[in-house]
Amino acid sequence: MKALLFPGQGSQSVGMGSDLFKNFDLIKKIFKDADQKLNYSISKIILEGPESELKLTENTQPAILLVSYSIFRLMKEEFNININESFKYFAGHSLGEYSALVASGSLRFEDALTLLHARGKSMQEAVPQGKGSMLAVMGVKIDELNKLIDEADRESGICEIANDNSYSQIILSGDKKAVNNVNEILKQNKKKTIFLPVSAPFHCSLMKPAADKMENKINQTEFKESKYELISNVTAKPTKDPLIIKKLLIDQISSKVRWRESIEFMIKNDVNQLIEIGPGKVLSGLVKRISGKVLTKSINTIEDIKSLND
């Protein structure tokens, strides 16, 4: 049994998907359609940069969707990869959940583009620049980390777990001072930490204003019943129900991404191969840290797609 995975923010790079764009008219058309839908050239930002433009959250989110969706369409229409027969679950990391929904037939690509552009802008505007922070913590179990957060100075603000990525990587998010305080405790305990170069503290309660802004937009968008089981970031459980999916997408903006639990759920339910579609290899790396029992493949070049038939 196989599952498809779709990456989130941090996987982007200038020039991603360029070999696909140069070689296939289908991809040129998808990129052109995206430009028209967004009323600006997201394709130029993806293919030429500058990196500073691509890193803007309101651009990053639709850009990663565009590249992931392009690869998915190419697999099906140019390389005749049969998705129906062997794939049971679809899952995406944060914004990757939108890519998974588009690929599973639940959400129109054009609607996902506009939702992600608005989502990125709302998340960016939810917290003033420089007020928030995100910190990657390595080699600390989640229960131990929760205990350290509880012991830290509560008056310095919010510090919450944003991403439970794997047994060896957890991401914290919140007010800069509060995250700094927890980082100091971790350093005293000789734990490895890295501050992330992000523009806002994603997936914590500080993102509630962004969730409130997106609620109407998501609820007013048409979602269909998914053809595949979608593993939600919020619950780490599957659903096909469009009403449940809408609620979970709203909650997801300010909630923890339960990625480790999502992967473990799929493995427990007979998935033995996980295929990452989109730029980079971040999710494949995380899967390897979660379990050595499953095969992983990252698909983002023509050669990668050809290897699926091997």
Side-chain angles (χ1 to χ4, degrees):
M1 190 81 70
K2 298 176 185 176
L4 286 185
L5 309 180
F6 297 86
Q9 203 151 335
S11 298
Q12 74 276 3
S13 62
V14 173
M16 59 185 179
S18 57
D19 65 328
L20 311 179
F21 182 86
K22 287 172 190 170
N23 285 284
F24 294 95
D25 289 340
L26 171 66
I27 306 307
K28 289 186 179 75
K29 184 181 185 307
I30 295 170
F31 274 54
K32 184 180 178 183
D33 289 345
D35 289 348
Q36 290 175 344
K37 184 65 181 176
L38 293 172
N39 292 316
Y40 72 97
S41 186
I42 188 72
S43 59
K44 186 176 182 183
I45 293 170
I46 291 169
L47 298 170
E48 301 175 20
E51 188 180 358
S52 58
E53 283 290 308
L54 183 60
K55 282 172 71 175
L56 290 173
T57 304
E58 63 197 71
N59 292 331
T60 309
Q61 297 197 19
I64 290 174
L65 164 69
L66 175 52
V67 174
S68 297
Y69 177 67
S70 294
I71 296 167
F72 180 77
R73 286 277 303 273
L74 205 58
M75 283 168 54
K76 288 181 70 179
E77 295 172 35
E78 296 284 345
F79 290 87
N80 299 313
I81 306 293
N82 192 333
I83 301 296
N84 295 326
E85 286 186 1
S86 53
F87 290 85
K88 184 174 183 182
Y89 298 110
F90 282 30
H93 192 285
S94 191
L95 79 89
E97 202 156 86
Y98 287 77
S99 306
L101 285 165
V102 172
S104 70
S106 177
L107 179 62
R108 290 173 69 246
F109 169 62
E110 294 82 1
D111 290 337
L113 271 178
T114 53
L115 283 176
L116 281 177
H117 181 67
R119 179 181 183 266
K121 199 169 183 197
S122 299
M123 292 170 82
Q124 182 65 63
E125 292 171 351
V127 178
Q129 189 82 25
K131 186 179 183 292
S133 182
M134 295 186 78
L135 181 75
V137 182
M138 274 63 78
V140 181
K141 291 181 179 177
I142 194 164
D143 291 343
E144 184 184 348
L145 192 51
N146 274 321
K147 191 177 175 185
L148 288 175
I149 292 168
D150 287 341
E151 289 172 0
D153 178 14
R154 296 287 184 88
E155 292 183 9
S156 59
I158 286 166
C159 179
E160 297 167 359
I161 291 175
N163 300 14
D164 178 6
N165 280 338
S166 72
Y167 288 105
S168 58
Q169 187 195 88
I170 296 170
I171 311 296
L172 300 182
S173 183
D175 289 297
K176 198 168 191 175
K177 189 176 178 183
V179 175
N180 284 344
N181 285 348
V182 174
N183 184 50
E184 286 304 313
I185 296 169
L186 288 162
K187 290 292 187 187
Q188 288 165 16
N189 285 280
K190 296 188 169 32
K191 303 299 182 184
K192 185 181 177 184
T193 61
I194 301 170
F195 281 100
L196 302 184
V198 293
S199 53
F202 305 130
H203 294 293
C204 73
S205 53
L206 292 175
M207 287 289 113
K208 189 68 172 60
D212 292 342
K213 272 189 186 177
M214 288 303 298
E215 185 171 2
N216 278 341
K217 287 184 171 65
I218 290 170
N219 282 331
Q220 287 168 10
T221 302
E222 182 188 10
F223 285 73
K224 296 177 182 176
E225 184 170 323
S226 172
K227 294 174 188 172
Y228 302 88
E229 297 280 6
L230 178 88
I231 307 296
S232 165
N233 286 180
V234 176
T235 63
K237 295 287 191 295
T239 185
K240 290 183 176 182
D241 188 314
L243 292 178
I244 293 172
I245 287 168
K246 283 185 178 187
K247 183 185 183 305
L248 291 171
L249 285 180
I250 296 161
D251 292 345
Q252 185 227 55
I253 294 168
S254 57
S255 298
K256 176 176 68 180
V257 175
R258 297 169 67 177
W259 190 250
R260 174 184 57 82
E261 294 171 80
S262 298
I263 298 300
E264 287 177 336
F265 175 88
M266 288 186 275
I267 293 169
K268 283 175 188 172
N269 286 273
D270 303 321
V271 170
N272 54 22
Q273 187 170 6
L274 292 152
I275 296 174
E276 177 181 7
I277 295 178
K281 299 181 178 181
V282 171
L283 299 185
S284 298
L286 291 178
V287 169
K288 287 171 186 173
R289 294 176 197 172
I290 295 166
S291 173
K293 296 177 182 177
V294 288
L295 295 171
T296 60
K297 270 192 175 185
S298 301
I299 309 298
N300 51 48
T301 66
I302 296 166
E303 290 306 312
D304 291 338
I305 298 172
K306 286 178 180 176
S307 75
L308 287 172
N309 283 322
D310 294 344

